[in-house]
């Protein structure tokens, strides 16, 4: 059974969004997604300073099984990437909601507005059948 945290918002593509400082939103992939992917060996990040739109492909995640697109759950400007994943992409498997975060985005407006189109934890659990 995959872990789903109540304090996050989720996309149907299995990314999560977490409220950060001010108008910053942290993004990663869900526990369910990392289980589906298997052992992750490489992460392609969006570039810092890039303006992205919710639903856009912003990078990829490569596992021993497959390569999967990384979609942005929110719109904004990329302000930071998790450089620890360059040397330790397996953090996405071991800590998908902690040290395995992927990037941060500065959003327009507040967190609730930026994530209004995303699923809450209950709806995400229903989506993945948990």
């Amino acid at each position: 059974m995959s872990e789903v945290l109540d304090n996050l918002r989720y996309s149907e593509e299995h990314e999560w969004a977490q409220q950060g400082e001010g108008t910053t939103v942290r993004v990663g992939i869900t526990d369910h997604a990392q289980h589906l992917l298997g052992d992750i060996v490489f992460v392609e990040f969006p570039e810092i300073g890039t303006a992205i739109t919710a639903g856009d492909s912003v990078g990829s995640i490569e596992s021993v099984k497959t390569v999967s697109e990384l979609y942005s759950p929110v719109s904004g400007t990329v302000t930071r990437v998790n450089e620890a994943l360059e040397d330790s992409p397996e953090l996405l498997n071991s800590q998908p909601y902690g040290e395995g975060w992927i990037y941060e985005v500065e959003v327009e407006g507040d967190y609730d507005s930026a994530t209004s189109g995303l699923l809450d934890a209950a709806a995400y659990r229903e989506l993945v059948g948990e």
Side-chain angles (χ1 to χ4, degrees), residues 40-90:
I40 295 169
V41 296
F42 180 76
V43 179
E44 177 189 33
F45 302 102
E47 286 189 40
I48 293 173
T50 302
I52 56 177
T53 302
D56 282 356
S57 174
V58 295
S60 63
I61 299 171
E62 183 177 336
S63 71
V64 294
K65 292 187 206 178
T66 188
V67 176
S68 180
E69 293 292 315
L70 175 64
Y71 296 97
S72 183
V74 295
S75 298
T77 302
V78 178
T79 57
R80 187 173 167 208
V81 298
N82 185 356
E83 294 176 357
L85 296 177
E86 291 176 351
D87 293 327
S88 302
E90 68 277 2

Side-chain angles (χ1 to χ4, degrees), residues 12-62:
E12 292 184 5
E13 291 79 24
H14 310 289
E15 286 86 16
W16 54 261
Q18 178 183 42
Q19 186 168 10
E21 296 286 322
T23 56
T24 299
V25 174
R26 183 170 276 186
V27 175
I29 63 168
T30 66
D31 189 40
H32 179 79
Q34 70 84 18
H35 280 297
L36 292 174
L37 288 167
D39 294 334
I40 295 169
V41 296
F42 180 76
V43 179
E44 177 189 33
F45 302 102
E47 286 189 40
I48 293 173
T50 302
I52 56 177
T53 302
D56 282 356
S57 174
V58 295
S60 63
I61 299 171
E62 183 177 336

Side-chain angles (χ1 to χ4, degrees), residues 87-101:
D87 293 327
S88 302
E90 68 277 2
L91 287 171
L92 285 172
N93 293 116
S94 63
Q95 299 181 50
Y97 300 120
E99 296 301 312
W101 63 275

Side-chain angles (χ1 to χ4, degrees), residues 115-127:
T115 61
S116 64
L118 299 176
L119 305 171
D120 63 13
Y124 185 72
R125 283 186 190 99
E126 188 174 314
L127 175 74

